[in-house]
Amino acid sequence: MGVLAEVYEKLNTCGKCGFCHGACKTYKNDGAEFLVARGRVQLIKALADGKVEADDDYEDAVNSCLLCGECAVACPSGVRGHELVLAARRDLKLRHGVKPFLKSVALKSLAKPGVLKFGFGFLAGTGKSVLKKVDALQFVRGIDIYTMPAAKVPFSKQVPEIITVPNPKKKVAFFVGCFMNHAFVSSAHSIVKVLTKNDCEVIVPKDQVCCGLPQYVYGDFEQAKVQMTKIINTFSKYDYVITGCASCASMLKKEVIELFHGDASMLPKAEAFTKKCYEFSEFVVNELDIADKLQNETPVSVTLHDPCHMVRYNSLTAEPRSLLKSVPRLNFVEMFEANRCCGAAGLVMAFYHEMSEKITAQKAQNIMNTGADIVATSCPACMLKINSGLRLKGSNVEVKHVADVLAAALN
């Protein structure tokens, strides 16, 4: 049975009411029917019925989806449009592989730690100095290359495999994730500081690989399985596995079950593994007692951006807010549409950058309207995209991980 045949009945549940139009950011930017869940679902159904071809226009409709999940929240019929788009992408992968070629290269590169290390190392070294000689290259596809963090040495190589503390109360394995390992290294150090200051021994396994989410969302289940199998084998021995990336958390806690659906040998291991996995703020709120240790002499105003994988995939919205509000002299300001997509959406920001920039510009404006000094979030990709959006608007609002704000308040 083909992928679309498996979801065919779900395709038929769309009542064509159009409630998704008010929720979909891609539709709001363009107004084209193929850029909203209703249109995408009808296109996918038409392909399943043999009425259209899987041509470039069809692929654009499917691949430009942010997978933010907002359409599912708005749908009165319970249609989960983003999940049907995932099925369509899987179908495309099985038909002719991942297109275009550069996207295929990007996904293969993410699966190879050595390639990532070389790429970010080059950017941290001579890469930026070369780019800065060409003024027109500061913003590349909406990303501020000049301010983009890049580490010559990945975080996992900067720290020992076991970071000890006297009389540890918990032993925690840290799944770093690609972007935090190679770009937002300071945020990874902040996570370690918060954990160690709260009597946690931190283990940073050296043979970490990408969680497989980028490959998974473009239908390459085979490669994603290779990566997740290695992760499960490496991390299952630990009682707690935490990550500071909302997207990685979603893969480790949720998508891994769908990935190994029907695999009798791996599914039980995956199910047991998910029970050990925590997103950073989730772990701190549920497992640690941190409030009494926080100090802050300088008043600061902070707002919060909810990554899509936090709010609609993992239902984690109260936890980061609770942590930020526990910091003394921190004025928390709620942002308008805090839970709306920032436009990053993985490789969407690279291959549909004009659409992505418009979405990011609105998010940046919402942040600026709060008057906050800092916008905190829980996703390195969101941090990158929001920082670029703010810089394009000439704003000096600082973009920080939730862990950065907490670490700064710990002696």
Side-chain angles (χ1 to χ4, degrees), residues 23-26 35 37 40 44 61-72 80-90 213-219 247 250 255 307-313 339 341-348 355 359:
C24 181
K25 287 295 187 185
T26 58
L35 291 178
R40 288 185 173 111
I44 297 167
V62 170
N63 287 329
S64 60
C65 177
L66 302 170
L67 297 179
C68 66
E70 293 188 37
C71 58
R80 299 183 65 77
H82 59 298
E83 292 181 358
L84 296 174
V85 166
L86 281 173
R89 290 185 180 181
R90 174 64 175 156
L213 184 65
Q215 294 77 16
Y216 174 81
V217 299
Y218 285 102
S247 297
S250 186
E255 276 75 20
C308 298
H309 279 111
M310 283 286 280
V311 64
R312 282 174 291 278
Y313 285 72
N339 64 356
C341 183
C342 71
L347 292 180
V348 169
M355 176 189 75
I359 297 170

Side-chain angles (χ1 to χ4, degrees), residues 210-402:
C210 173
C211 69
L213 184 65
Q215 294 77 16
Y216 174 81
V217 299
Y218 285 102
D220 192 352
F221 283 20
E222 293 73 25
Q223 182 59 50
K225 284 181 178 179
V226 170
Q227 290 161 232
M228 272 307 309
T229 298
K230 184 171 185 178
I231 290 167
I232 291 171
N233 290 338
T234 297
F235 283 85
S236 286
K237 68 182 87 171
Y238 305 110
D239 293 332
Y240 301 97
V241 179
I242 68 104
T243 181
C245 173
S247 297
C248 291
S250 186
M251 188 66 189
L252 300 180
K253 291 161 59 69
K254 303 288 184 181
E255 276 75 20
V256 64
I257 301 299
E258 180 62 28
L259 180 66
F260 289 111
H261 179 72
D263 187 329
S265 64
M266 280 301 299
L267 184 58
K269 295 179 182 179
E271 290 173 336
F273 174 70
T274 62
K275 293 178 172 62
K276 301 181 176 187
C277 296
Y278 293 81
E279 185 276 328
F280 168 76
S281 61
E282 176 189 23
F283 178 80
V284 175
V285 167
N286 293 325
E287 300 293 335
L288 303 180
D289 186 11
I290 188 175
D292 292 342
K293 299 182 179 69
L294 297 172
Q295 301 177 16
N296 179 39
E297 298 299 326
T298 306
V300 63
S301 180
V302 180
T303 190
L304 178 75
H305 161 68
D306 293 292
C308 298
H309 279 111
M310 283 286 280
V311 64
R312 282 174 291 278
Y313 285 72
N314 283 303
S315 300
L316 296 172
T317 57
E319 290 82 354
R321 285 171 172 78
S322 172
L323 291 174
L324 293 174
K325 291 176 181 179
S326 67
V327 177
R329 296 178 182 81
L330 184 150
N331 176 36
F332 181 79
V333 185
E334 193 66 63
M335 183 201 316
F336 175 65
E337 293 189 334
N339 64 356
R340 291 299 177 95
C341 183
C342 71
L347 292 180
V348 169
M349 65 177 164
F351 290 92
Y352 297 93
H353 67 281
E354 293 181 356
M355 176 189 75
S356 174
E357 283 181 53
K358 293 177 183 177
I359 297 170
T360 307
Q362 184 58 60
K363 174 62 71 171
Q365 190 61 56
N366 289 347
I367 293 168
M368 293 164 63
N369 289 345
T370 68
D373 305 305
I374 296 169
V375 55
T377 190
S378 304
C379 175
C382 293
M383 291 170 68
L384 173 67
K385 198 70 175 75
I386 289 171
N387 181 68
S388 296
L390 288 167
R391 299 295 83 79
L392 276 167
K393 284 184 171 289
S395 171
N396 291 320
V397 176
E398 292 185 83
V399 182
K400 293 182 179 292
H401 194 282
V402 171

